[in-house]
Amino acid sequence: MLRFSAWTDVGRVRAGNQDAYCLHLLDGTSRRALLAVADGMGGHSGGEVASTLAARRLEEAVLRAAPGWSTPGACLEGLRAAVLEAHAAIKQAQAAMPAHADMGTTLTAVLVWGELLYVAHSGDSRAYLVSGGRIRRLTDDHSVVAELVRSGHLTEEEARGHPQRHFLTSALGVHGPVRVDLLEASWQPGDVVLLCSDGLTNAVADDEIARHAADTSDFAAVARRLVDLANQRGGHDNITVVAAWWER
Ligand code: MG
């Protein structure tokens, strides 16, 4: 049985919320679901248009195609195709709306498929797996600062406060080929999969996220509690959290 938790908030500084998410149960068995987080960027509220469009197109594409996915390869390729469909929709909207020509968005999607998780990802939103109190990042941030952390030039702590942390190396709607990372993970009863925008991860460390996610006594409130914590620390950006718990 899957339990869910989701919350999004504008934060304490920004004028609008350019994050979007989706959370959709895919069948009647409660074993399959689609979770996604998108963090938009662009002037004239283009970020809001891009992230909402990405979340909705991804959802539509997965709902349409998922009944035909019978192998892990089909799930991964289908998820990638859904992300690319969202990317194409944003490019089309850019052409139709010159004021939004610069819009783009991150997109991190997790398809829960029984005991497997399929992940498709572009940008610096994240997916985590919390298992037995331990937290593991399923995604790599596509950002200049994350490259510097991976090459050992910056610590995680330095990266969180870095002025250039918003420079992305991949996102939907941007110029050039979009990079979509695909991966598969397994999970088990008691585990939590959690997706979030950088408004959470720039304010809350991984071990704190793990602690909150592992407290499943009121699971529906987990996302809200994490968003509140980021707001207590300034709420410098929009904050979004979507999580699923495989209840024992
Ligand atoms: Mg953000």
Side-chain angles (χ1 to χ4, degrees), residues 26 42 51 62 67-68 84 88 102 110 122 124 133 137 160 169-170 176 181 187 201 213 219 222 241:
L26 294 175
S51 64
V62 169
L84 292 177
D102 67 341
V110 172
S122 188
D124 69 346
R137 271 186 218 174
R160 270 207 295 279
T169 53
S170 175
D181 289 352
W187 72 326
T201 50
F219 189 72
V222 162
V241 177

Side-chain angles (χ1 to χ4, degrees), residues 14 19 39-40 124 166 197-199 202 237-239:
R14 300 288 175 90
D19 284 359
D39 178 349
D124 69 346
H166 302 298
S197 60
D198 68 336
N202 284 321
D237 194 1
N238 308 143
I239 313 145

Side-chain angles (χ1 to χ4, degrees), residues 24-26 34 57-67 69:
H24 213 290
L25 208 55
L26 294 175
L34 174 71
R57 284 305 282 264
L58 172 85
E59 192 174 70
E60 283 169 26
V62 169
L63 286 176
R64 192 179 63 232
W69 297 342

Side-chain angles (χ1 to χ4, degrees), residues 75-209:
C75 288
L76 272 180
E77 277 314 311
L79 195 56
R80 184 214 292 274
V83 170
L84 292 177
E85 192 173 317
H87 172 63
I90 293 167
K91 299 300 277 185
Q92 222 169 34
Q94 286 170 342
M97 299 184 281
H100 293 332
D102 67 341
M103 70 179 172
T105 184
T106 72
L107 184 61
T108 300
V110 172
L111 184 68
V112 177
W113 204 261
E115 60 212 29
L116 292 173
L117 303 171
Y118 298 106
V119 185
H121 163 75
S122 188
D124 69 346
S125 299
R126 289 183 187 167
Y128 291 97
L129 180 62
V130 181
S131 181
R134 296 165 70 110
I135 187 163
R136 175 159 72 97
R137 271 186 218 174
L138 297 175
T139 49
D140 287 330
D141 295 350
H142 297 162
S143 71
V144 174
V145 162
E147 302 285 352
L148 292 172
V149 172
R150 284 196 283 274
S151 62
H153 290 88
L154 280 181
T155 66
E156 283 289 339
E157 193 60 41
E158 287 165 342
R160 270 207 295 279
H162 202 283
Q164 293 179 342
R165 65 182 179 274
H166 302 298
F167 293 169
L168 300 187
T169 53
S170 175
L172 272 60
V174 298
H175 193 64
V178 60
R179 168 181 166 192
V180 182
D181 289 352
L182 293 177
L183 65 115
E184 186 186 325
S186 59
W187 72 326
Q188 47 193 5
D191 290 357
V192 172
V193 61
L194 183 145
L195 285 68
C196 62
S197 60
D198 68 336
L200 181 75
T201 50
N202 284 321
V204 180
D206 287 7
D207 61 331
E208 295 176 294
I209 295 173

